[in-house]
Amino acid sequence: MGYQQTFRVWRGTDEGGDFAEYDVEVNEGEVVLDVIHRLQATQTPDLAVRWNCKAGKCGSCSAEINGRPRLLCMTRMSTLPQDSTVTVTPMRTFPVIRDLVTDVSFNYQKAREVRSFVPPEGVEPGEYRMQQIDVERSQEFRKCIECFLCQDTCHVIRDHEENKESFSGPRFLMRIAELDMHPLDAAEEQGVNRKAAAQDQHGLGFCNITKCCTDVCPENIKITDNALIPLKERVVDLKFDPIIRRRKRTRKS
Ligand code: SF4
Ligand code: F3S
Ligand code: FES
């Protein structure tokens, strides 16, 4: 059974804007993106929204629904109260291009700063062998759809533009953790210390494990427990474990 609902949608650019209110039809089984599309089709054709798959897999339709970072295509209308207004806003951490579309290039910049996987010398692709437990560990992180909702929600940068230069955010710290845990990554042989880079260049120390990133991840990746905390432990080992430090000193001399 269809019903009418009031939608409050943020309209504007990075220069400024305001909320606009629309009464719109909602039908059984619809998600928020369906209603946004109905608004475009019937009332406001110039409303900007980014989307591609409508299946929770491309990570394009990230926005905030009633203040919570979510995918528009995976938020069922049946999970929102029928008797109150639904507020839809762009992701707050990134500059707005127009209406619900944000400029997420911050994330691409940070991605470029992470040294990619370094293949081990003398092992051809196809000859890589690793234990199943290690495969599973990186597979969890590889489920990431790059929606950047975790980046949007993390308080370190959400209201602190000034921290963006020094903090890469949970998505990219997770990527570093994945590579640091990878048994075949040969970065260290090329003088790249991923643990030191996480702490010194990517701002791991800013993360105070509030787990908000984990809470909003649509892929249910345990970002904090399985990536960030283990990475912090590795950094602590590197800096303070007397045996590791002694080994490093011995190698140098
Ligand atoms: Fe999105 Fe989760 Fe990937 Fe973050 S880790 S970008 S929330 S899928
Ligand atoms: Fe931010 Fe997640 Fe850490 S929300 S503070 S990166 S646990
Ligand atoms: Fe692809 Fe929503 S449209 S994740």
Side-chain angles (χ1 to χ4, degrees):
M1 277 279 288
Y3 59 94
Q4 289 289 123
Q5 186 136 22
T6 307
F7 263 63
R8 209 165 150 253
V9 182
W10 197 88
R11 306 295 310 268
T13 65
D14 217 26
E15 309 285 285
D18 208 349
F19 284 99
E21 272 196 13
Y22 308 94
D23 284 326
V24 58
E25 183 189 323
V26 178
N27 295 311
E28 201 177 334
E30 287 185 336
V31 293
V32 173
L33 187 60
D34 290 316
V35 181
I36 295 289
H37 284 162
R38 182 164 300 114
L39 280 178
Q40 285 180 322
T42 59
Q43 300 186 45
T44 172
D46 62 340
L47 170 62
V49 61
R50 188 188 278 133
W51 67 284
N52 278 289
C53 69
K54 205 170 174 280
K57 285 295 156 215
C58 72
S60 319
C61 66
S62 304
E64 301 192 5
I65 301 167
N66 293 341
R68 189 181 162 86
R70 306 191 70 161
L71 295 179
L72 295 173
C73 75
M74 295 304 282
T75 307
R76 291 192 170 278
M77 286 303 299
S78 57
T79 62
L80 304 172
Q82 273 188 31
D83 52 359
S84 56
T85 301
V86 176
T87 302
V88 188
T89 45
M91 285 193 283
R92 185 157 113 190
T93 300
F94 310 116
V96 175
I97 296 174
R98 194 154 72 86
D99 303 336
L100 301 177
V101 178
T102 45
D103 174 0
V104 293
S105 48
F106 162 79
N107 300 288
Y108 304 131
Q109 179 57 41
K110 294 297 180 186
R112 274 194 289 272
E113 289 167 15
V114 176
R115 176 71 188 267
S116 52
F117 173 75
V118 178
E121 240 179 75
V123 190
E124 294 300 317
E127 290 175 356
Y128 292 0
R129 298 288 177 270
M130 53 200 270
Q131 291 197 30
Q132 188 57 29
I133 193 171
D134 291 321
V135 173
E136 279 157 19
R137 208 144 58 153
S138 34
Q139 265 174 353
E140 182 192 10
F141 306 143
R142 290 274 168 156
K143 288 193 302 176
C144 174
I145 58 169
E146 305 231 297
C147 63
F148 306 131
L149 289 174
C150 57
Q151 304 281 93
D152 177 45
T153 205
C154 178
H155 67 94
V156 176
I157 45 175
R158 188 168 169 85
D159 289 312
H160 295 280
E161 193 62 32
E162 70 280 10
N163 288 342
K164 280 188 175 168
E165 201 184 320
S166 350
F167 183 65
S168 296
R171 195 277 168 260
F172 300 103
L173 290 167
M174 177 176 88
R175 172 81 179 131
I176 298 170
E178 181 199 333
L179 290 165
D180 198 52
M181 291 170 185
H182 199 304
L184 295 174
D185 178 57
E188 211 162 323
E189 278 93 273
Q190 295 198 3
V192 178
N193 189 321
R194 295 196 186 277
K195 294 178 247 313
Q199 186 73 7
D200 302 335
Q201 285 148 35
H202 297 274
L204 180 65
F206 278 89
C207 164
N208 56 347
I209 54 175
T210 56
K211 296 198 184 184
C212 311
C213 50
T214 303
D215 210 35
V216 299
C217 177
E219 284 294 318
N220 297 316
I221 302 171
K222 291 196 169 61
I223 308 169
T224 321
D225 285 352
N226 291 350
L228 306 183
I229 293 175
L231 188 57
K232 278 175 177 284
E233 287 167 349
R234 284 164 175 248
V235 168
V236 169
D237 284 350
L238 178 75
K239 287 198 182 244
F240 302 109
D241 186 305
I243 297 172
I244 293 179
R245 285 169 66 81
R246 184 155 6 113
R247 260 198 236 128
K248 269 172 51 192
R249 271 203 304 273
T250 324
R251 256 191 244 141
K252 267 188 208 150
S253 56

